[in-house]
Amino acid sequence: MNPEASELQRLQRNLTQVKDRIQTACAASHRHGNSVALLAVSKTFPAHDVALMAQAGQTDFGENYVQEGIEKIASLKQQGLSGLTWHFIGPLQSNKTRPVAENFDWVHTVDREKIAQRLAEQRPAGLAPLNICLQVKLSTEESKSGAAPQDVEALAALVASLPQLKLRGLMTLPEPGKEAEEFEQLKALFDKMKSNYPGMDTLSMGMSADLETAIAHGSTCVRIGSALFGART
Ligand SMILES: *Cc1c(COP(=O)(O)O)cnc(C)c1O
């Protein structure tokens, strides 16, 4: 078999395995198998791997780094691959918001008003509103970004008031060892906010190592990198 075909087979196999894990986790929680979206995190992997994963049927891709992400999006468009949905899932500095507003469909990491305001101002008028998840910091780790839980309501009110943005939900990155506890807290906050913001339909939590825990606690979107593309170097 040529290397191209075997690489496609490897990615197809990984995709099937991850989808099986999602189905099994949904069944264990008596949830519908289609209630959890799969976001393929392609950071550090070349555009070519994204093209093969798209060929295997995957449509949603997540990127962490602005420059790497926009280069990949441009390269795939150039190859004629349209119809993919791009999610920005990395920390976002305010001087890097423009390329994100111009090239991505979703941002999962909005954690302060300045970022929301800039994304709204910079979203091109001809594009659909940018879908937004607010990143919530539940852990006490210094290194993690995210809005403090008590600030999330005010941030949600701002995002909901900006027509270029569409408030879709909440996201978190748990502290290792505290996944279940923090996923449960995020789900509780999500349920509480949904009555004020009925458009909120996305609870973005769970990665390769903890997708089962996340689904047990109500995740509607798992962000999976290494289990799909392989170990990152
Ligand atoms: C890298 C990354 C992921 C994917 O992590 P894996 O463990 O490779 O599945 C998910 N979410 C965010 C925010 C990431 O940075």
Side-chain angles (χ1 to χ4, degrees), residues 107-121:
V107 179
H108 289 232
T109 48
V110 171
D111 63 357
R112 53 196 192 276
E113 299 196 345
K114 186 176 181 189
I115 296 289
Q117 245 140 10
R118 290 179 67 92
L119 287 171
E121 279 163 24

Side-chain angles (χ1 to χ4, degrees), residues 41 43 64 89 171 173 207-209 223-227 232:
V41 177
K43 66 177 176 215
N64 279 62
I89 62 169
M171 178 274 208
L173 276 172
M207 316 200 298
S208 293
R223 310 177 309 268
I224 307 298
S226 49
R232 285 183 297 274

Side-chain angles (χ1 to χ4, degrees), residues 16 20 31 43 54 67 89 136 144 152 167 192 201 230:
T16 302
D20 286 348
R31 298 183 54 191
K43 66 177 176 215
Q67 194 55 33
I89 62 169
V136 184
K144 294 266 159 77
V152 173
L167 179 64
K192 196 178 98 187
D201 58 5

